[in-house]
Amino acid sequence: VEERPFRSASGEPLALRRRQHSASCRELALRRPRLQLRSLSAVTSAVWLAAYGVFVLSENSMVLSAAIFITLIGLIIYLHFVKIDQESLLVIGSLGIQLTSSYASGKESTTFIEMSRVKDVVINEAIYMQKVIYYLCILLKDPQDPQGVSEVVPLFQSSQPRLDCLMEVYKSCQEILDQRKEAPQSS
Amino acid sequence: ENSPAPLPERAIYGFALFLGSWFGFILYLIWAYVPETWLFSLGLTYWPQKYWAVALPAYLLVSVGIGYILLFGINMMSTAPLNSTNTVTDNYAKKQQQKKFQEEAIPALRDIPISEVNRMFFLPEK
């Protein structure tokens, strides 16, 4: 097990953990910083102070209860649907690739792609908003065209690691993917 | 035949446009500033409301401002999303012909597949 610190495109610290389960099975997990108490309290105080200001101006006490309600519901929705704590990639040489996103509320959403559908794992550059970013993606095979690409699956969308981290993940994945070319084509 | 050089016809077109635009401008000023009663007394009664003398320039300026933002937005909408195959290949690259490799000649220009490019950049050469 190996853990190394990296940075995301926006500057937040990430931790890449590599586990080698066996010769043809590797797990790469990118962990993001957890929700900080100081940012949570800052947002909550800002919303409640604004609501208190509105209450002083409008003399309507419903504003205060609405603000409390909104912050509670908003926090739950944020933790369950938005805040991703860890994104991991499990590459099993002969079987497939599994992508897992773990949210702050404990929810995990996984996607599995069989190895017969995977053409390659590459680092692609694309225009995103006003920048050009590097991102890792899985290219899926086109059933009609052996050389073609039918779909592109971007990885690590919420962590957005920088090129040095992407190169590490790329090299690990390529070591596993190279093995399937060496293995004899049985079926 | 399609040179941008000045020609007599172009000079005439230019002068006609110049006179026409001055005429239009003077007409607009007359319509906007001369009181309605004076125009009616001359017999010219069928004019658009003077409201439009202010409204049309205002509409025009706002459209120009919105046009900047709209163009920027259309640009962003036309950018291929991160999960589209257009970031990796396109019709011309798919249909390209492979030229034969000739010794001692510069290799023909072609679109190199992204897997090959990645291997060259990111995997250390042994």
Side-chain angles (χ1 to χ4, degrees):
Chain A
V1 183
E2 211 184 283
E3 187 154 334
R4 287 181 52 184
F6 285 101
R7 287 210 169 260
S8 83
S10 50
E12 64 177 18
L14 300 172
L16 176 71
R17 200 184 63 199
R18 286 174 36 166
R19 291 191 62 163
Q20 175 119 353
H21 293 285
S22 85
S24 63
C25 176
R26 225 170 258 189
E27 184 179 2
L28 298 132
L30 256 183
R31 232 191 21 230
R32 299 183 63 194
R34 307 184 80 94
L35 182 64
Q36 308 272 27
L37 182 62
R38 55 167 181 251
S39 55
L40 176 64
S41 8
V43 171
T44 310
S45 331
V47 172
W48 286 359
L49 277 175
Y52 183 69
V54 173
F55 164 69
V56 162
L57 290 172
S58 70
E59 304 289 324
N60 181 8
S61 65
M62 276 300 291
V63 177
L64 297 173
S65 350
I68 295 175
F69 200 57
I70 285 174
T71 39
L72 274 177
I73 300 291
L75 180 65
I76 292 177
I77 290 179
Y78 176 70
L79 291 179
H80 194 67
F81 292 108
V82 175
K83 179 102 186 69
I84 294 184
D85 268 349
Q86 176 174 292
E87 288 173 299
S88 74
L89 194 67
L90 177 66
V91 186
I92 306 177
S94 47
L95 197 62
I97 302 182
Q98 176 167 291
L99 323 168
T100 313
S101 298
S102 319
Y103 291 81
S105 63
K107 171 173 102 162
E108 282 194 6
S109 103
T110 60
T111 311
F112 180 74
I113 303 172
E114 336 167 82
M115 203 43 101
S116 60
R117 288 179 63 197
V118 170
K119 183 163 186 286
D120 202 1
V121 172
V122 300
I123 298 180
N124 193 11
E125 303 161 28
I127 301 175
Y128 179 70
M129 300 282 243
Q130 80 288 9
K131 294 192 290 214
V132 175
I133 57 164
Y134 290 100
Y135 65 104
L136 198 69
C137 58
I138 304 180
L139 304 176
L140 301 185
K141 285 186 192 155
D142 191 4
Q144 279 94 32
D145 175 17
Q147 301 296 326
V149 173
S150 75
E151 221 182 297
V152 171
V153 180
L155 306 175
F156 300 131
Q157 295 263 64
S158 66
S159 341
Q160 296 188 340
R162 292 186 179 172
L163 188 60
D164 47 2
C165 179
L166 289 178
M167 275 175 28
E168 289 298 322
V169 181
Y170 174 74
K171 286 179 198 159
S172 292
C173 290
Q174 285 296 321
E175 280 167 24
I176 309 268
L177 290 178
D178 278 341
Q179 293 171 3
R180 54 173 188 168
K181 276 184 233 117
E182 290 159 24
Q185 302 287 335
S186 49
S187 54
Chain B
E1 300 122 309
N2 291 334
S3 79
L7 298 171
E9 294 91 25
R10 289 180 179 163
I12 296 174
Y13 298 153
F15 190 59
L17 268 178
F18 171 73
L19 284 182
S21 54
W22 264 113
F23 175 69
F25 185 52
I26 303 291
L27 191 65
Y28 169 75
L29 287 180
I30 291 175
W31 165 47
Y33 282 106
V34 171
E36 279 205 328
T37 43
W38 295 14
L39 291 173
F40 286 174
S41 69
L42 285 175
L44 306 163
T45 52
Y46 199 63
W47 294 85
Q49 282 188 328
K50 282 182 190 281
Y51 161 79
W52 291 108
V54 181
L56 282 177
Y59 273 125
L60 202 65
L61 283 175
V62 171
S63 335
V64 168
I66 288 183
Y68 275 110
I69 302 173
L70 196 71
L71 192 65
F72 188 68
I74 290 179
N75 249 333
M76 283 181 78
M77 278 173 58
S78 320
T79 309
L82 292 186
N83 63 349
S84 123
T85 53
N86 285 321
T87 54
V88 176
T89 184
D90 67 357
N91 271 334
Y92 297 102
K94 285 186 200 148
K95 295 204 181 86
Q96 65 180 340
Q97 297 146 336
Q98 307 277 350
K99 299 224 167 62
K100 260 192 354 194
F101 175 70
Q102 291 169 323
E103 274 298 329
E104 305 213 347
I106 299 175
L109 192 67
R110 69 182 178 103
D111 183 51
I112 304 177
I114 186 170
S115 310
E116 219 174 297
V117 174
N118 266 20
R119 262 191 285 279
M120 193 190 76
F121 277 156
F122 301 123
L123 290 181
E125 294 296 314
K126 298 216 173 54

